[in-house]
Amino acid sequence: MDDSTLERPKAGKGRRWQTRGRIADPAAARDIDLVLGHEPVRRDHLIEYLHRIQDRFGALMPRHLKALADRMRLSEVEVFEVASFYHHFDIRRDDDAGPAAITIRVCDSVSCMLAGGEALVERLTDLVDPAHVRIMRAPCIGRCAEAPAALIGKRAVGHATAERLRDLAAAGTVTPEPVAATRLAEYQAAGGYRLLASMRSGALTPAAITEALSDAGLRGLGGAGFPAGRKWSIVRSFPAPRLMTINADEGEPGTFKDRCLLEADPHRVLEGALIAAQAVEAERIYLYLRDEYAHLHQLLGAEIDALARAELIKPGFIELRRGAGAYVCGEESAMLASIEGRRGLPRHRPPYIAEAGLFGRPTLNHNVETLYWIRDILDHGAEWFAGQGLNGARGLRSFSVSGRVRFPGLKRAPAGITLRELVDQHCGGMAEGHRLAGYLPGGASGGMLPASRADLPLEFGRLEPHGCFIGSHAIVVFSDQDDPAAIALNLMQFFRHESCGQCTPCRLGTEKLVALMEQGALDRALVADIDHAMREGSICGLGQAAPNPLACLIRYFPEALR
Amino acid sequence: MSDPIRFSIDGRPVDAEPGETLWQVAKRLGIAIPHLCHLDQPGYRPDGNCRACLCEIEGERTLAASCIRKPAPGMVVHTASERVSRAQRTVFELIEAGLPARAGAPDPDAPFWHWSEQVAAPQGRLPGRHGVVSPEAAGLSLHDSSHAAIAVDLTACIACGLCERACREVQVNDVIGMAYRGIQTRPVFDADDPMGASTCVGCGECVQVCPTGALLEKTVQTSIKQSGRLPIDREVDTLCPYCGVGCLTRVAVANDRIVRVDGRPGRANDSRLCIKGRFGFDYVHHPHRLIRPLIRRDDAPKRGDASLDPSNPWPTFREASWEEALERAAAGFRRILDRHGGAALAGFGSAKCSNEEAYLFQKLIRQGFGTNNVDHCTRLCHASSVTALMEGIGSGAVSAPFNAALDADFIMIIGARPTENHPVAATYVKEAVRTGKTLVVADPRGSALMRHATHALRFRPGTDVALLNAMLHVIVAENLYDPDYIAAHVDNFDALKANVAECSPEVMAPLCGIDPGMIRTVARLYARSRASLIFWGMGVSQHVHGTDNARCLIALALITGQIGRPGTGLHPLRGQNNVQGASDAGLIPMFYPNYGPVDSPDLTARFQQAWGRPLDPARGLTVVEILHAILADRIKGMLIMGENPAMSDPDQIHARAALARLEHLVVQDIFLTETAWHADVVLPASAHAEKLGTFTNTNRQVQLGRPVLPLPGEARLDIDLLVSLANRLGLGWSYGQQPHPEGGETGVEVSAVYEEMRGHMVSLKGLPWSRIAAEGSVTYPAADATSAGREVLFGDGFPRAGGRARLVPARVSPPNEAPDERYPLVLTTGRLLEHWHTGSMSRRASVLAGLEPEGLAAMHPDEISRRGLIAGDRVRIATRRGAIEARLRADRDVAPGMVFVPFAFNEAAANVLTNPALDPFGKIPELKFAAAQVTALG
């Protein structure tokens, strides 16, 4: 957020007629009461409240922040520090007219960069009236297969052109497009929620399911690949009360699989979640959805309500939460902080969240896709799932493929497939006129590999010897026409933008690496030192992986270094 | 108790206690691990963000922050492997690249630079601070000098978050947070406001812990700018001179001027301070300091309405030699003694002075003047509390320290605003609430603590007994009392029961304005909690029913057994830094040292024996009674040491008329106070920072204050002045002093005075001078000189006959005067965070005076608009006693229908307005309630 425009109370003599600090504004307090209603406030809902206030008033004004703090019995700074952490919150002066009526966020992440996102911004800037339309650059919005992409208000626009965006702005088309998902009735008609019922009846035991997941080899598909069944056992080993979270904060550049799965079949994920929650006896499920997926917020909100109406869950058992524009909140412990209504800072381990997670309780956290597979595994058997893999890997995976392939998109493919097989068998080969030069196997953080390593199995643990990892299976393919150095710089800028700022190696390391890359001639010993400090010394995976683009650039694309 | 955890650090096998971190174990072994965001002090949670303290744990993929990581059995830890050192060097290199060079840094002696030297990171390889949008580019200055005492220089900020933890978790003021994200992460005040415009209370904890000087005292900043370093000549461990919390301080001196005050570790304050303690020190250097004795000019008659410019006293006073001044002072007393006897004399000592000074003062009055007319400002603050406590439980001191808040499950604070008046004690309460304890704050005025409170009871002013009797009613009616405890320890329960039978919450609610359900809830919580603690202040005591208020609080504790155990008890928050000690030492008209009644013939005989003179067998007069007696011509001469009754006493016009009427008034003080305006002789005395002595804080901790500065000019130590006066009255005191060539005697041995005093005070039995000198702070009572002092009292009964406490029922009674058509508002008085009592010190402290420079009256904004007034304008506030003018401030904490006037401002003196009506038992005036009118000035 731009912090140049904050209203500040006067220091010194000007304040003597009043008490210390910003004075409560009764009108602002009434505004807040209107927005919040008269229900008791919850500390963990702070980010939700900020969303509601911004949705209503277009921006966050200090007078409203003060009134919200008073209502929540927080200090002003406890509200401000949270609001200022998240990029989607727009803090303005009290007397500011507010931002332009329409905001267009043009994605500037790597896939969209390859597809000409920069030119789109330039063209759009020429076409629209800044008084009416505000243009912002945004990190990955999860539409990489339709690059370049943009968000106009809450509406996602794929294959965006400046003219189309101009026309949508002129028409005021800013609400999400409805989703043609499988709704509850349809899902139930096709056998949905029978597994949950048999689990609740006792026919299907948690032990049996856990065993099935272990036999199937299901791993956490948010990026870490931790065996799902083992995770359940660990969480269950800590004393109740326990909680569960669903990580739908998909923000790794190049990743859009969770969006696609939820758009198509939300109940498959929700049933998986309810089975998991039952298995670990979680008291409540929090579904943390990235703010960029406004259409899914509507869909999931409606379907969760439908579940309650159908008495499949108690009202409030699944709580849908909205992120606010912070990649780091995809890191599970940062996500927990965000659900608690705080800045999204990752936590130190130990303790792991399975022991002390959300609100200090043992917490089971799963990625959307991990849950998605549970029903299939139980329906078709662990052996069926385990038998799907290639090259020694087990199971099916959802690959988000973007970049220079003929048919980018969500590709359901065997675990352990190679890049070459994936491109040739699932993506129709390379795009017209492009020759494979390299690829990102795991979004921004998974490193970069050259075409010469296109035959490695895309699987957890198999890319690490090459300085990379598969992570969220976000494959971005680039060609001989792309500049690996520009790609690496784009990724490094992304990390600088998204570093939470908590620990020194990541906060300053991302900044300095960008500065060094922009300067040109690299001091290799210095880069190696920074790489070491970030990898070894950062608190979370973001900082530990952030040097990957530059390290891979130096290792695999030395000719790209000027 | 779990077993120790065996592991190894740098090849050395070691056992860790459960809970110990790797960093702590390393420190114990003498291994110094660099650290920036970690502060090895109580209250500071390790955060592990700076990564300076990384260590290697064999078998782990990444390095770990040793400050936050705990060992596990068999762990093999390396603190200095190349893997570790390389990462550490880079961490420092990254940080240093963004900072100003050491020579140009705000504080080149800051801890960061110390560690930077040790780590010796490579230099010059990295570009400087690069932020995406630099704060300057965004129109935001990295420099913020808006605060009166603190300079902010974010170019030196390393985003370690210590300031945030200081503000949020240690002092619990919640002003600083770490805002924004990534490279833009930085501390902000409120909604990123300038520090000076924020809700910052100026405690300076953030300054004390900042590892780089990004937050720095302006005094230190000036010193460094002038010399390139901080030219500290010496640092002295001493005490804060302000409130009863008694914070331990370390005072830094350069060129005989104080340049910095830091908190020191210890039970009283764990290194914490408040704005007064940290930044209110320069009054000692003020040009108004008295540096030569003064004698009233023959052509300057006394007038009650006199007004005097302290920077030009010459129309009223002339300078005199010590010989002349001391002789004039003593001769006046001798003359009145000869003509009218001791009953015509009186003395006011001071709760600002040391125990030794208090002891000698009361001895001088009793032995030399032969009267018990000796009192001090305790009469104006907690006399009613002490009366109720003495009568009920046989001891006027607190039963538990304020730190007991951390052991309590339920805390009630009534009629006190510790965030302003005992800010460091308040930090322990707020800390307790952070850990989930229940806090009830009861006060007609809103307060900062109410945001933290589980329940806030804003009852109608003057209806304390109604509220408290209703609580007692609930406890009795619902059988929530502790019959076993009562049977074992408490008398008169039946009378209390009968008294509160009619006081149901439903009956009391219309009086006190608190919902009956809320009264029931709070009463139940208090009675049922595992450990409940009550704090109170002057909102309880300064009423005509102040003693009754305190009786109710005592009854709450006694009938529920919420006393005598850890986390329980009664804690009247004492105001002055030594009000506990001065009272203990006998600076009270009805008690010898250690609360021996003066009307006990046995005791009087014992003290006559010790002091070798006949003593007054009757109780003396109290503060307000003495002033009345002057106007009735019964008292003709007074010695006043360090007190300022011309400002602090109610109905000031009357009080000053009394002082002016005195035939002979001798004042010893550091400034020409409003009281000294009426003096015949003024003796320039010593400030706290110039003297050695013991001071007893509200927790019963006897603590050593050490001299930091030399005396200015010809000023003398108060203790030397008392000895000089005593000997001119023929008392023949000998405490190792020597005759001074310019008259009088100096060089009194403080330890000799202390030991004589201790001989009269069984409470100090286990606290010989040698122990206090060695330990610096010892809680009394202690069984002997080697046993720890007892913080929690009365676990084994009470110091009354039979060891039993006694309940005293209190009837609901109205305030002495009620608002009417002419005076429709309720005036209440009190203090501001920045000002100390009558302002003689704090208004001469530049930071404090700068923040609150002028007299004010505060009202609720709705009341202001209802009365057609305008905040910021000057208004006239009048009562039946008089009128003042002050600037009107809008303050939502003041209830509609009320007006609050702080009593620190002589140009708008609250005590012109206050009601001198006295509580019949404690003889304390009703400073918290008067009918008043507020009108616009034309």
Side-chain angles (χ1 to χ4, degrees):
Chain A
M1 52 147 294
D2 172 11
D3 55 15
S4 65
T5 50
L6 303 179
E7 193 205 36
R8 298 184 171 78
K10 290 190 191 75
K13 287 181 184 174
R15 80 159 177 85
R16 282 179 204 143
W17 59 274
Q18 60 184 38
T19 44
R20 197 178 284 117
R22 182 172 281 97
I23 300 304
D25 170 3
R30 284 192 295 274
D31 286 348
I32 296 302
D33 286 345
L34 212 64
V35 172
L36 266 56
H38 291 283
E39 284 161 43
V41 288
R42 278 172 54 181
R43 172 66 182 81
D44 60 314
H45 278 189
L46 175 56
I47 293 167
E48 296 292 313
Y49 298 150
L50 291 170
H51 274 308
R52 279 151 75 174
I53 295 165
Q54 179 159 302
D55 286 349
R56 166 98 186 202
F57 298 102
L60 299 175
M61 257 74 79
R63 66 173 190 275
H64 285 142
L65 297 181
K66 160 81 177 160
L68 177 63
D70 287 349
R71 173 84 190 266
M72 296 182 75
R73 298 214 294 170
L74 295 173
S75 70
E76 266 179 283
V77 79
E78 285 172 290
V79 172
F80 183 87
E81 67 183 10
V82 171
S84 68
F85 181 85
Y86 295 94
H87 286 311
H88 287 188
F89 292 130
D90 186 4
I91 306 177
R92 298 258 162 171
R93 288 172 59 103
D94 278 331
D95 57 3
D96 191 297
I102 290 177
T103 297
I104 298 178
R105 293 173 198 270
V106 180
C107 180
D108 70 358
S109 279
V110 59
S111 306
C112 289
M113 180 192 86
L114 296 179
E118 189 61 31
L120 173 62
V121 171
E122 280 170 28
R123 175 102 182 102
L124 189 59
T125 310
D126 290 342
L127 277 185
V128 299
D129 173 9
H132 181 56
V133 177
R134 172 173 61 160
I135 302 166
M136 300 177 80
R137 288 157 202 258
C140 184
I141 62 169
R143 301 271 170 180
C144 325
E146 303 139 52
L151 284 169
I152 174 162
K154 297 186 176 187
R155 186 188 200 85
V157 181
H159 302 300
T161 63
E163 290 72 15
R164 172 118 194 280
L165 291 170
R166 176 200 56 197
D167 295 347
L168 287 168
T173 310
V174 293
T175 50
E177 270 184 291
V179 186
T182 304
R183 298 300 180 113
L184 178 58
E186 202 184 330
Y187 181 76
Q188 276 184 299
Y193 290 108
R194 267 189 227 151
L195 285 167
L196 182 66
S198 55
M199 196 182 180
R200 286 180 174 168
S201 71
L204 195 55
T205 65
I209 302 175
T210 310
E211 197 185 324
L213 297 191
S214 296
D215 292 347
L218 180 65
R219 305 178 70 155
L221 297 172
F226 194 85
R230 198 177 337 144
K231 198 186 252 188
W232 291 13
S233 308
I234 294 171
V235 173
R236 277 184 70 98
S237 74
F238 292 105
R242 307 179 193 100
L243 295 170
M244 179 175 171
T245 52
I246 304 171
N247 188 342
D249 193 47
E250 173 172 76
E252 184 68 44
T255 314
F256 49 86
K257 65 185 176 72
D258 294 341
R259 171 177 62 79
C260 296
L261 298 176
L262 288 169
E263 280 171 354
D265 206 355
H267 285 285
R268 195 169 286 271
V269 176
L270 293 174
E271 185 174 11
L274 291 170
I275 289 170
Q278 176 104 6
V280 301
E281 291 161 16
E283 287 191 342
R284 185 182 283 217
I285 298 173
Y286 293 81
L287 198 170
Y288 189 83
L289 179 72
R290 67 184 311 215
D291 196 32
E292 288 81 350
Y293 293 169
H295 63 304
L296 287 178
H297 193 270
Q298 285 184 346
L299 173 71
L300 290 168
E303 295 310 298
I304 291 167
D305 286 348
L307 281 175
R309 275 199 307 279
E311 297 184 354
L312 283 162
I313 58 170
K314 286 197 192 110
F317 183 76
I318 302 178
E319 202 173 294
L320 178 60
R321 292 300 193 83
R322 214 171 134 188
Y327 164 73
V328 73
C329 291
E331 197 277 349
E332 62 180 13
S333 68
M335 179 187 74
L336 300 187
S338 191
I339 294 174
E340 290 173 358
R342 302 177 195 282
R343 302 166 74 220
L345 303 186
R347 297 177 187 168
H348 293 263
R349 286 86 162 178
Y352 291 87
I353 70 161
E355 180 182 359
L358 189 61
F359 306 113
R361 294 182 180 185
T363 301
L364 175 70
N365 173 52
H366 273 311
N367 163 260
V368 165
E369 188 190 349
T370 319
L371 298 169
Y372 176 88
W373 289 116
I374 290 176
R375 184 174 161 201
D376 274 341
I377 291 170
L378 297 178
D379 275 352
H380 304 302
E383 279 175 39
W384 163 80
F385 189 79
Q388 299 288 325
L390 293 174
N391 299 316
R394 292 192 293 171
L396 285 170
R397 299 287 159 79
S398 303
F399 290 89
S400 310
V401 185
S402 62
R404 307 296 191 186
V405 297
R406 189 183 301 269
F407 303 120
L410 179 72
K411 308 295 172 186
R412 178 175 300 190
I417 193 170
T418 67
L419 184 274
R420 203 177 305 282
E421 290 163 346
L422 187 65
V423 170
D424 292 346
Q425 296 166 21
H426 293 266
C427 304
M430 291 295 287
E432 190 80 35
H434 289 271
R435 198 160 54 80
L436 178 69
Y439 63 105
L440 315 184
S445 54
M448 296 162 68
L449 287 168
S452 61
R453 304 206 183 198
D455 298 309
L456 301 169
L458 299 174
E459 169 60 339
F460 297 111
R462 305 292 283 274
L463 304 180
E464 279 77 352
H466 306 276
C468 292
F469 57 76
I470 186 67
S472 62
H473 295 63
I475 314 292
V476 182
V477 178
F478 57 92
S479 75
D480 54 344
Q481 295 174 32
D482 300 314
D483 174 9
I487 292 171
L489 179 60
N490 174 286
L491 301 177
M492 196 55 78
Q493 285 167 333
F494 169 78
F495 286 123
R496 178 181 64 177
H497 188 256
E498 295 301 330
S499 169
C500 77
Q502 180 182 200
C503 69
T504 308
C506 176
R507 182 182 71 248
L508 297 178
T510 53
E511 183 231 336
K512 297 303 181 202
L513 288 183
V514 169
L516 293 171
M517 288 169 85
E518 286 174 344
Q519 261 178 14
L522 286 175
D523 176 343
R524 299 285 174 95
L526 172 60
V527 169
D529 282 345
I530 296 174
D531 182 293
H532 173 81
M534 292 175 74
R535 239 174 250 289
E536 298 273 358
S538 295
I539 292 174
C540 82
L542 190 161
Q544 290 161 12
N548 279 344
L550 181 54
C552 290
L553 185 71
I554 292 171
R555 179 168 172 187
Y556 295 121
F557 304 94
E559 70 288 350
L561 288 165
R562 283 176 295 273
Chain B
M1 191 67 199
S2 330
D3 294 332
I5 298 148
R6 175 147 298 191
F7 71 111
S8 87
I9 289 190
D10 295 347
R12 295 157 70 177
V14 59
D15 286 339
E17 295 303 322
E20 251 187 323
T21 63
L22 294 176
W23 192 92
Q24 288 169 321
V25 175
K27 182 190 170 199
R28 192 149 57 70
L29 297 180
I31 302 171
I33 303 180
H35 58 111
L36 300 172
C37 74
H38 177 50
L39 189 69
D40 185 26
Q41 265 180 27
Y44 284 88
R45 161 183 67 76
D47 196 53
N49 71 61
C50 74
R51 316 308 275 178
C53 74
L54 289 172
C55 66
E56 176 178 357
I57 298 166
E58 283 190 11
E60 294 198 357
R61 187 174 54 85
T62 56
L63 303 174
S66 62
C67 70
I68 199 166
R69 188 63 186 273
K70 289 170 183 149
M75 202 181 250
V76 180
V77 179
H78 304 281
T79 71
S81 61
E82 178 51 23
R83 200 177 153 205
V84 169
S85 305
R86 186 181 178 198
Q88 266 169 353
R89 280 195 305 271
T90 308
V91 163
F92 274 85
E93 185 179 7
L94 287 167
I95 294 175
E96 272 192 65
L99 296 185
R102 182 170 187 173
D107 182 2
D109 301 324
F112 173 82
W113 297 109
H114 161 77
W115 287 114
S116 161
E117 255 174 46
Q118 307 286 310
V119 171
Q123 295 194 333
R125 299 198 295 174
L126 279 167
R129 196 182 277 252
H130 187 79
V132 183
V133 180
S134 78
E136 277 117 335
L140 233 199
S141 174
L142 292 171
H143 297 268
D144 174 0
S145 60
S146 61
H147 192 272
I150 299 168
V152 185
D153 178 356
L154 293 180
T155 64
C157 176
I158 60 170
C160 70
L162 265 176
C163 53
E164 179 194 70
R165 275 171 280 158
C167 192
R168 178 170 300 172
E169 298 176 24
V170 176
Q171 292 265 354
V172 203
N173 289 323
D174 289 326
V175 180
I176 301 182
M178 297 302 287
Y180 305 103
R181 193 207 286 183
I183 189 64
Q184 299 202 55
T185 302
R186 62 176 175 273
V188 299
F189 307 93
D190 292 349
D192 201 0
D193 297 319
M195 190 182 204
S198 73
T199 52
C200 171
V201 293
C203 72
E205 182 85 18
C206 55
V207 174
Q208 182 165 303
V209 301
C210 177
T212 65
L215 293 155
L216 195 65
E217 296 98 335
K218 284 184 169 174
T219 45
V220 169
Q221 185 190 34
T222 309
S223 265
I224 291 172
K225 274 187 182 158
Q226 283 165 357
S227 63
R229 60 181 190 89
L230 187 57
I232 298 290
D233 297 327
R234 60 182 179 277
E235 289 189 295
V236 181
D237 286 355
T238 182
L239 309 172
C240 176
Y242 283 101
C243 83
V245 172
C247 291
L248 308 178
T249 59
R250 176 161 298 163
V251 179
V253 179
N255 298 321
D256 280 341
R257 289 184 73 86
I258 299 174
V259 293
R260 183 180 67 207
V261 179
D262 281 328
R264 206 159 37 96
R267 183 70 170 148
N269 58 315
D270 290 311
S271 301
R272 304 169 196 180
L273 292 177
C274 77
I275 187 170
K276 291 187 285 280
R278 192 182 305 279
F279 297 119
F281 52 76
D282 63 345
Y283 69 90
V284 294
H285 302 300
H286 196 278
H288 286 173
R289 275 298 294 274
L290 294 170
I291 53 170
R292 294 205 65 192
L294 301 177
I295 288 180
R296 175 171 289 273
R297 292 166 57 118
D298 295 337
D299 58 355
K302 295 183 181 179
R303 289 167 54 102
D305 59 355
S307 180
L308 207 150
D309 174 3
S311 60
N312 180 22
W314 312 125
T316 308
F317 293 100
R318 65 175 171 84
E319 289 188 337
S321 72
W322 273 111
E323 179 58 35
E324 184 189 8
L326 287 169
E327 187 46 36
R328 177 79 72 103
F333 294 131
R334 287 196 303 262
R335 188 177 66 239
I336 294 167
L337 267 176
D338 290 347
R339 288 190 198 157
H340 308 285
L345 290 173
F348 289 164
S350 171
K352 286 238 89 54
C353 291
S354 69
N355 286 320
E356 297 75 23
E357 289 159 352
Y359 171 78
L360 284 190
F361 189 90
Q362 63 85 36
K363 182 178 170 185
L364 172 64
I365 303 297
R366 293 194 156 106
Q367 183 195 31
F369 292 179
T371 175
N372 286 315
N373 293 337
V374 57
D375 206 354
H376 72 292
C377 61
T378 190
R379 193 62 44 207
L380 305 173
C381 55
H382 268 304
S384 47
S385 310
V386 171
T387 303
L389 287 165
M390 292 299 293
E391 135 200 298
I393 63 177
S395 162
V398 300
S399 82
F402 51 73
N403 320 65
L406 297 174
D407 307 321
D409 280 354
F410 175 102
I411 302 159
M412 177 156 93
I413 299 182
I414 177 165
R417 298 169 67 83
T419 46
E420 287 161 18
N421 300 323
H422 303 84
V424 171
T427 65
Y428 292 93
V429 173
K430 292 183 284 187
E431 192 181 334
V433 177
R434 272 180 62 85
T435 62
K437 309 301 176 65
T438 302
L439 172 67
V440 170
V441 179
D443 203 308
R445 274 173 79 201
S447 77
L449 267 184
M450 284 183 180
R451 181 169 72 78
H452 301 267
T454 335
H455 304 279
L457 312 181
R458 291 187 63 174
F459 60 96
R460 292 215 178 91
T463 63
D464 314 56
V465 173
L467 172 66
L468 297 171
N469 270 356
M471 285 178 65
L472 288 165
H473 173 95
V474 173
I475 291 168
V476 171
E478 299 185 4
N479 290 317
L480 300 174
Y481 55 89
D482 182 342
D484 296 340
Y485 186 85
I486 294 171
H489 297 293
V490 184
D491 289 337
N492 216 21
F493 180 55
D494 288 342
L496 182 91
K497 213 168 160 177
N499 183 60
V500 300
E502 306 293 309
C503 299
S504 72
E506 288 69 23
V507 174
M508 293 295 112
L511 289 176
C512 65
I514 300 297
D515 172 67
M518 176 68 91
I519 297 176
R520 288 185 188 278
T521 301
V522 169
R524 288 170 189 154
L525 285 170
Y526 175 81
R528 286 177 182 156
S529 121
R530 180 191 55 84
S532 294
L533 181 63
I534 298 176
F535 291 97
W536 74 92
M538 258 125 272
V540 161
S541 63
Q542 288 177 336
H543 286 283
V544 287
H545 46 79
T547 305
D548 279 340
N549 292 348
R551 283 166 175 160
C552 294
L553 296 171
I554 295 164
L556 279 170
L558 290 176
I559 68 171
T560 54
Q562 295 286 18
I563 189 167
R565 292 176 285 117
T568 67
L570 296 165
H571 191 121
L573 284 155
R574 309 310 303 259
Q576 293 278 13
N577 58 332
N578 198 36
V579 68
Q580 184 64 56
S583 302
D584 295 347
L587 214 54
I588 311 185
M590 42 294 240
F591 297 124
Y592 289 120
N594 208 36
Y595 304 96
V598 294
D599 40 11
S600 146
D602 290 356
L603 259 182
T604 304
R606 185 154 17 118
F607 276 99
Q608 285 185 167
Q609 173 83 29
W611 293 343
R613 285 235 182 171
L615 298 176
D616 181 359
R619 292 179 169 213
L621 299 177
T622 61
V623 165
V624 178
E625 289 171 335
I626 286 170
L627 296 172
H628 288 316
I630 298 169
L631 289 171
D633 277 337
R634 287 190 284 123
I635 286 180
K636 298 178 179 301
M638 280 194 77
L639 173 63
I640 298 181
M641 170 179 74
E643 286 267 286
N644 194 8
M647 279 294 287
S648 60
D649 287 19
D651 193 1
Q652 191 174 96
I653 296 171
H654 170 273
R656 291 190 186 184
L659 292 170
R661 191 178 180 105
L662 282 168
E663 178 186 321
H664 185 59
L665 171 62
V666 177
V667 173
Q668 63 183 67
D669 211 312
I670 62 172
F671 295 116
L672 198 64
T673 61
E674 293 77 5
T675 300
W677 294 353
H678 308 286
D680 296 272
V681 181
V682 182
L683 304 176
S686 48
H688 182 276
E690 293 146 10
K691 64 176 84 165
L692 176 70
T694 63
F695 298 81
T696 307
N697 71 357
T698 188
N699 280 353
R700 288 181 274 105
Q701 284 146 347
V702 182
Q703 314 194 107
L704 193 64
R706 297 180 182 85
V708 173
L709 298 169
L711 286 157
E714 296 175 21
R716 286 194 184 172
L717 294 171
D718 294 82
I719 204 164
D720 288 343
L721 296 178
L722 292 173
V723 170
S724 299
L725 284 174
N727 287 342
R728 281 169 196 258
L729 294 172
L731 301 185
W733 287 1
S734 175
Y735 297 101
Q737 75 277 9
Q738 301 293 321
H740 193 281
E742 287 162 29
E745 293 156 297
T746 57
V748 168
E749 280 175 24
V750 177
S751 57
V753 179
Y754 178 87
E755 284 300 331
E756 177 182 309
M757 171 177 76
R758 192 168 74 92
H760 296 298
M761 296 178 67
V762 67
S763 57
L764 297 181
K765 195 181 89 186
L767 282 72
W769 175 265
S770 55
R771 180 178 187 181
I772 292 172
E775 296 178 28
S777 171
V778 189
T779 302
Y780 80 76
D784 54 54
T786 53
S787 306
R790 284 174 55 202
E791 293 195 338
V792 177
L793 299 182
F794 315 133
D796 49 1
F798 297 92
R800 291 182 79 257
R804 294 174 66 82
R806 180 177 172 79
L807 294 163
V808 182
R811 303 296 301 180
V812 176
S813 61
N816 179 263
E817 67 177 19
D820 57 19
E821 229 164 81
R822 177 132 190 254
Y823 298 105
L825 295 165
V826 174
L827 166 80
T828 190
T829 67
R831 292 184 269 160
L832 298 171
L833 170 67
E834 289 84 357
H835 282 302
W836 185 252
H837 285 191
T838 67
S840 57
M841 292 157 61
S842 58
R843 293 197 76 195
R844 293 181 174 97
S846 50
V847 167
L848 305 177
L851 287 169
E852 287 289 3
E854 63 177 340
L856 62 96
M859 291 168 73
H860 193 280
D862 294 349
E863 188 69 49
I864 290 175
S865 50
R866 183 156 46 238
R867 302 201 165 268
L869 302 168
I870 297 170
D873 280 3
R874 290 179 62 75
V875 291
R876 181 175 184 275
I877 308 106
T879 65
R880 295 190 174 91
R881 268 71 54 195
I884 61 168
E885 292 174 9
R887 194 168 300 283
L888 185 60
R889 174 176 292 179
D891 183 349
R892 290 181 175 276
D893 282 348
V894 181
M898 295 187 76
V899 54
F900 166 74
V901 179
F903 66 94
F905 300 95
N906 56 2
E907 71 278 18
N911 281 320
V912 167
L913 307 171
T914 47
N915 185 353
L918 296 183
D919 170 280
F921 310 99
K923 305 291 171 89
I924 189 169
E926 186 149 71
L927 298 166
K928 287 286 186 271
F929 197 109
Q933 57 163 247
V934 179
T935 47
L937 278 174

